Amino acid sequence: MKSTAESKRKILTTRTLSLLGLLIVVLIVGGSVLWRTQWIQTGHDVPAGNTSSSLLPQLDEAAHRIAGKPPRAPSTYATGLSVRAAIARGDYALADKTLRASLADSQVKGWHFNPFAAVMFYAARPGMNGFEARLDEWIKREPNSAIAYLVRALYRYDTAWQIRGTRFVNAVQPAHLRAFNEGLNRSADDVAQAMRLDGNNPYAAFLLLKILSGAGNTVEMENAFQAAIHKFPTYYPLYLQRLTTLEPKWGGSPQAMYAFVDTYAGEAAPDSPLKMLYLRLYADLLSATALVCQNAHADQHAQCIDQGMHSLVTDALEKNVYGVLEMYKPAHNAPFTIEIGGILNDMVLTRGGERYAGALLQLAAHIMGSDNQLTAPDASHNNFMMDRLSGLVWYRQRQYASAEKLYMRALADLPNTHFDSVVQKDAMRAMLYDALSHAYSQMHRYRESVIYNMAAAQVIGGRSIAGYDNLTCAGLFKLKHYDDAIHACTAQAEDSGSDEALFWRAKAYEATHRIPLALHDYRQLAESESRYRSYAAIEISVIYGHENHLTKMLQALNTYDYLYDEAHEDKMDMASAYNNRCYAEMHLGQLQQALKDCTQSLRFGSLPDAYSKQQELIKKLRTHPQSDGS
């Protein structure tokens, strides 16, 4: 690795290398559930809500005033949903025609193969009941359709990852890991068949690499990558996907990442999209460092990040990153701006990486002629992405009013950028409306949050009721319009397979006393790898407890044994689960076991309920020491 060998800095200290080695082929864990957990003694009051009159028409009209006229040309999102709808009703000829037209209109340009790749993303998402059966039927009718195999391959890939979740591999339930591997294998078979039927589609080669990435840095991955770039040497996503598998968490190393980028970006033309790999490498090194430092004590976390980045980032890489940013040209700059924005966005979201993300953001803004200051004297020539990212920085610092100001300024900046199409510009406008929706949600301005989320969906030709993401569904629940929330959550779940939509729908069902429906959704979450699974499992026990179905309550708490996994579970969730189980056992007369569980609850949290029951149980067992419920 020429550039690193010549660098004055040492790429990787022994300590950092040993820590990174521990992370081989381990996925980043998802965030713990942040929503309140409930235990049986706290009461179960249902908030008053409006279920008789719909708020949706008013909100939809307000969103329309913001969004303006419908898109003049079908967006990739709308086209993808139309393909999805055609498949769902069995109109395979229309689905095939639409996708073939999108494929014919696509070319490898800049950093993407659009519109086909984007249309495929929306067309094949999980969520719709019976969708895979329709895909099976399509292939049965058209066994020589490469398009049909490709759609099913992507659907199976996304479904496999939905089953797998984002936890560390050793925290995933074995049955889900088996289903994940089976899904990837079936997906790989489909994409291989698609490539046999049509070997000229670069997206198929990319999808194969995505599927193989599930196994990390393997010989099979390397062979598939070499075959892909031999046929499609300028297709940037192929290189990006291979770089991902060279990260330490997938079995690679920083040295391998450097060697890869030096080989393909170093030898590329000065204006080649492959030069962007240098910036991606910098962001990936920050991510790898943050993963190593995630368990560092709060007052040592920043120091850990600094030490890791000092040992990993070479002078040559910093110089090349600066060179990437200087590729910016004011004319026809939308693809570059969007790609840069995606990488810097990941850096801003990296815990502990604020200083590194901020420095690059400021440098990029300077090169693009943007003033990132909140009180910039003249922002009339600012780049919309730089203001959007500056707003995200404020958002991450919980300064939501400042974030709102920057997001609004970013909207005003849009005319400063030459977009390749109206569709591309509308996609960026929708992104900014969604950012505002998030800011308003954090400020508890839920009506505005829903309006901007619906406006974002309208701009890209989506279903207004579903919103752009889950904020419409969640916001309607928080506005206590539960029936509206149920409709919006159902639409969002069908469009995207979102577990968050399922979570808010379950809460809306519960709030309106539709308990069987709430239990159905909670069980689906509890039996998954969703970040809401612990909340859902505990809430099932709460519902049974309030209905005095104590045997069912205890059965539910014993069914979801991950609730008691000290290595991976949130401590307060464990405290709640043990406390609830103590309650059920106590009232079923299983006093010895109840005492053990109340004592365990107090190990993980200081719940007054657990302490009270513990004292009561000790007194009872003094009187009846052999009590075991028999």
Side-chain angles (χ1 to χ4, degrees):
M1 190 168 57
K2 188 178 296 183
S3 67
T4 55
E6 294 174 352
S7 172
K8 295 180 180 178
R9 295 185 186 177
K10 187 177 180 182
I11 295 299
L12 195 63
T13 63
T14 303
R15 175 179 175 273
T16 308
L17 180 60
S18 64
L19 287 170
L20 290 173
L22 296 174
L23 300 171
I24 289 176
V25 298
V26 178
L27 286 177
I28 297 177
V29 67
S32 62
V33 177
L34 300 179
W35 316 105
R36 65 184 179 94
T37 51
Q38 299 185 36
W39 45 92
I40 200 69
Q41 301 286 354
T42 60
H44 198 62
D45 297 330
V46 177
N50 186 341
T51 61
S52 58
S53 61
S54 175
L55 190 62
L56 284 170
Q58 299 175 38
L59 299 178
D60 188 71
E61 183 180 349
H64 179 71
R65 288 196 294 270
I66 293 170
K69 295 179 180 179
R72 284 170 281 178
S75 67
T76 52
Y77 181 77
T79 303
L81 289 187
S82 73
V83 170
R84 187 179 177 82
I87 294 169
R89 64 176 180 267
D91 192 348
Y92 308 124
L94 179 59
D96 184 83
K97 179 182 178 181
T98 305
L99 286 172
R100 287 186 183 279
S102 176
L103 182 60
D105 288 343
S106 300
Q107 57 180 314
V108 174
K109 182 180 179 182
W111 293 272
H112 302 286
F113 181 62
N114 280 335
F116 186 76
V119 171
M120 281 289 294
F121 174 81
Y122 295 117
R125 288 198 293 184
M128 192 178 292
N129 289 333
F131 194 72
E132 186 168 10
R134 291 293 194 184
L135 294 173
D136 294 343
E137 183 181 38
W138 185 7
I139 288 173
K140 186 176 180 179
R141 290 189 189 181
E142 303 289 341
N144 293 319
S145 171
I147 290 286
Y149 276 104
L150 201 57
V151 175
R152 192 171 72 174
L154 179 57
Y155 176 83
R156 286 175 165 176
Y157 169 82
D158 286 341
T159 300
W161 272 106
Q162 189 179 63
I163 294 169
R164 161 70 177 78
T166 57
R167 287 179 170 81
F168 284 111
V169 69
N170 58 355
V172 179
Q173 297 173 74
H176 292 157
L177 273 182
R178 288 193 297 271
F180 168 70
N181 289 322
E182 289 168 5
L184 289 190
N185 288 336
R186 295 168 70 201
S187 179
D189 290 342
D190 276 349
V191 78
Q193 181 63 9
M195 293 172 74
R196 282 191 287 269
L197 293 167
D198 178 9
N200 296 314
N201 187 341
Y203 180 80
F206 166 68
L207 181 55
L208 177 60
L209 294 188
K210 281 180 70 73
I211 294 164
L212 294 175
S213 294
N217 182 30
T218 63
V219 173
E220 187 178 12
M221 160 60 76
E222 174 62 16
N223 291 340
F225 168 72
Q226 292 297 335
I229 63 171
H230 178 74
K231 190 151 195 174
F232 310 108
T234 62
Y235 190 26
Y236 173 74
L238 300 174
Y239 300 87
L240 194 60
Q241 196 63 38
R242 182 65 181 114
L243 178 60
T244 295
T245 60
L246 293 173
E247 294 178 29
K249 64 183 177 183
W250 288 109
S253 67
Q255 292 95 328
M257 295 167 72
Y258 266 100
F260 178 87
V261 172
D262 285 341
T263 296
Y264 296 107
E267 297 178 2
D271 61 347
S272 169
L274 292 181
K275 292 293 186 182
M276 192 69 74
L277 289 172
Y278 283 119
L279 184 58
R280 183 75 259 179
L281 171 59
Y282 188 93
D284 286 348
L285 292 174
L286 178 61
S287 176
T289 302
L291 188 57
V292 170
C293 297
Q294 65 177 343
N295 294 323
H297 194 273
D299 61 358
Q300 297 177 337
H301 188 264
Q303 183 182 3
C304 179
I305 294 283
D306 287 344
Q307 289 176 345
M309 288 297 283
H310 181 76
S311 67
L312 287 172
V313 177
T314 66
D315 293 333
L317 177 57
E318 290 180 342
K319 181 179 179 180
N320 283 318
V321 165
Y322 185 80
V324 170
L325 297 177
E326 287 193 311
M327 289 170 62
Y328 171 81
K329 299 293 186 294
H332 306 286
N333 62 14
F336 179 88
T337 295
I338 293 168
E339 193 64 28
I340 286 280
I343 297 173
L344 291 179
N345 185 86
D346 290 347
M347 292 182 65
V348 171
L349 295 178
T350 300
R351 178 175 173 260
E354 294 83 1
R355 185 163 74 87
Y356 299 91
L360 279 186
L361 176 57
Q362 185 57 43
L363 181 59
H366 175 74
I367 290 172
M368 294 181 179
S370 265
D371 188 341
N372 284 357
Q373 295 180 86
L374 189 63
T375 56
D378 181 13
S380 60
H381 300 288
N382 273 22
N383 179 282
F384 80 94
M385 187 63 74
M386 297 301 102
D387 275 339
R388 202 277 293 182
L389 290 169
S390 298
L392 181 60
V393 171
W394 284 108
Y395 181 93
R396 293 278 290 172
Q397 295 176 2
R398 302 183 181 181
Q399 301 296 318
Y400 303 118
S402 297
E404 176 194 14
K405 180 176 180 178
L406 268 297
Y407 293 151
M408 285 293 189
R409 194 162 81 190
L411 281 168
D413 294 337
L414 283 175
N416 298 337
T417 299
H418 177 90
F419 290 92
D420 291 346
S421 66
V422 173
V423 168
Q424 188 180 66
K425 183 176 182 178
D426 282 344
M428 294 300 101
R429 187 156 63 102
M431 176 189 70
L432 293 171
Y433 287 159
D434 182 58
L436 282 164
S437 177
H438 279 267
Y440 291 136
S441 179
Q442 293 294 336
M443 289 188 278
H444 307 294
R445 293 159 60 178
Y446 299 122
R447 186 183 181 94
E448 290 163 282
S449 176
V450 172
I451 288 170
Y452 272 89
N453 204 254
M454 294 175 78
Q458 290 180 19
V459 166
I460 58 173
R463 291 198 287 174
S464 187
I465 187 176
Y468 184 86
D469 54 28
N470 300 291
L471 284 180
T472 293
C473 156
L476 288 166
F477 174 86
K478 292 169 184 176
L479 287 168
K480 300 181 182 178
H481 277 258
Y482 300 125
D483 283 345
D484 285 344
I486 289 165
H487 292 313
C489 293
T490 300
Q492 179 60 227
E494 287 176 351
D495 283 357
S496 64
S498 165
D499 61 344
E500 190 168 345
L502 205 63
F503 169 78
W504 289 110
R505 188 175 72 178
K507 290 175 71 68
Y509 279 141
E510 188 179 1
T512 53
H513 305 287
R514 286 174 264 193
I515 299 304
L517 293 172
L519 285 171
H520 178 272
D521 283 355
Y522 281 137
R523 285 194 193 100
Q524 199 169 330
L525 290 167
E527 292 165 7
S528 73
E529 295 295 333
S530 166
R531 64 194 180 108
Y532 301 107
R533 71 177 188 183
S534 297
Y535 180 101
I538 292 169
E539 194 63 13
I540 290 169
S541 75
V542 170
I543 290 171
Y544 283 137
H546 282 290
E547 294 184 341
N548 207 33
H549 295 322
L550 298 177
T551 301
K552 288 184 178 180
M553 179 186 183
L554 182 58
Q555 183 182 14
L557 289 164
N558 287 332
T559 296
Y560 306 114
D561 53 3
Y562 57 76
L563 288 171
Y564 314 101
D565 182 355
E566 187 172 351
H568 304 106
E569 199 62 26
D570 179 81
K571 297 299 184 284
M572 283 307 301
D573 285 343
M574 292 181 69
S576 297
Y578 275 118
N579 179 67
N580 286 12
R581 197 163 71 173
C582 171
Y583 175 92
E585 291 160 344
M586 179 178 176
H587 286 81
L588 289 170
Q590 300 173 22
L591 303 189
Q592 294 280 4
Q593 187 58 46
L595 179 59
K596 290 180 182 178
D597 280 342
C598 269
T599 302
Q600 283 289 82
S601 176
L602 292 168
R603 279 187 59 213
F604 301 107
S606 302
L607 303 183
D609 299 351
Y611 181 78
S612 177
K613 288 194 294 291
Q614 182 194 54
Q615 298 307 304
E616 184 179 349
L617 285 163
I618 289 172
K619 290 178 183 178
K620 286 185 177 182
L621 285 167
R622 284 174 182 163
T623 307
H624 305 286
Q626 301 304 317
S627 178
D628 60 1
S630 58

